[in-house]
Amino acid sequence: MKRIKLNFINQSNDAGNNVVVIFQKNHAQGQDETIVAWKVIANCGIGDNHPFIFPHQVMVSFNDSYGNYSPQLEAVPGDAFIVEKTNSGDILSQSKNPAKVLSEIEVTNALSMGAIDINCYRDGKLLSTCLSIVPTQMGAFQFEPTIYIGAIPQMVEGEIMNAAIVSEINTEINLLGIASADIVMTGGGSGPQATPFYFTLENITFA
């Protein structure tokens, strides 16, 4: 499985012990923009580093109003899945037909009743979610090879991010063709000398 080795390095003047949040945006057609805090780096002091993996592989699953979660299934763009009722309960399985949009991963609620949430995971962490998908409707995922990163006072990994916070995080990092790299954070501080946080890729190794 292809994966990118990333290493966050704090070379900032952060005076408030902010957390660093990393997320992706779902570009699938017709999906509400629900942004999830995919990875949160906390308590990484000035001069510290935090290595992590960004795998290309993603997984999909669903959860229902009963609090049940399906097993996660591997998915690539062009795959389609269905959630349907069986004698043993509701299950997620791959469809024999491809996705209607070949650049997307699609999951259809084929139940007779009951809304479900459809989830997408990367590296075992919740990456994106399509909430309250009703019968006959579909949740879909499509991601560009980019991540968004920013420093904010607090955030919990796996939680849906407030739109106001998302709008303040403007650093987009393109990972296309990269095998490994450092993500270096600079800036910060307090008082009149404070500057915005700035993120750059360094020590890049290409695939």
Side-chain angles (χ1 to χ4, degrees):
M1 181 180 67
K2 293 182 179 179
R3 59 184 193 169
I4 303 171
K5 296 180 180 179
L6 298 172
N7 183 35
F8 170 78
I9 303 175
N10 184 2
Q11 292 184 357
S12 74
N13 299 307
D14 181 15
N17 195 20
N18 286 274
V19 302
V20 172
V21 61
I22 300 170
F23 60 87
Q24 289 191 283
K25 293 183 178 181
N26 182 8
H27 295 282
Q29 300 176 16
Q31 300 300 318
D32 293 333
E33 189 172 52
T34 304
I35 305 296
V36 174
W38 171 64
K39 183 167 186 63
V40 173
I41 300 172
N43 294 312
C44 189
I46 296 171
D48 292 351
N49 71 291
H50 183 104
F52 65 99
I53 297 298
F54 182 91
H56 292 281
Q57 181 67 63
V58 298
M59 316 283 282
V60 293
S61 76
F62 79 93
N63 64 278
D64 61 22
S65 60
Y66 297 100
N68 302 313
Y69 285 78
S70 74
Q72 297 176 20
L73 302 182
E74 292 185 8
V76 298
D79 284 349
F81 300 83
I82 56 173
V83 178
E84 55 188 348
K85 192 172 189 62
T86 69
N87 291 334
S88 62
D90 302 339
I91 64 168
L92 171 70
S93 60
Q94 187 164 359
S95 172
K96 297 178 181 178
N97 300 315
K100 295 176 181 178
V101 179
L102 293 181
S103 59
E104 297 180 356
I105 298 166
E106 300 173 350
V107 183
T108 298
N109 182 351
L111 301 171
S112 59
M113 60 183 296
I116 57 175
D117 296 339
I118 297 168
N119 308 308
C120 185
Y121 298 84
R122 192 186 297 279
D123 196 31
K125 304 174 186 294
L126 183 63
L127 176 69
S128 185
T129 185
C130 300
L131 300 174
S132 301
I133 304 299
V134 299
T136 75
Q137 298 300 303
M138 175 181 71
F141 304 100
Q142 180 182 345
F143 304 102
E144 302 295 334
T146 57
I147 57 174
Y148 292 82
I149 184 168
I152 56 178
Q154 58 183 3
M155 178 57 61
V156 176
E157 198 167 87
E159 287 195 351
I160 294 174
M161 298 177 63
N162 183 286
I165 294 175
V166 172
S167 67
E168 294 178 359
I169 298 176
N170 300 314
T171 300
E172 182 179 358
I173 295 177
N174 191 341
L175 299 177
L176 183 64
I178 291 176
S180 65
D182 294 335
I183 303 175
V184 180
M185 181 175 77
T186 55
S190 60
Q193 304 300 319
T195 60
F197 290 107
Y198 193 66
F199 298 86
T200 55
L201 279 186
E202 299 182 9
N203 300 316
I204 300 171
T205 301
F206 291 98

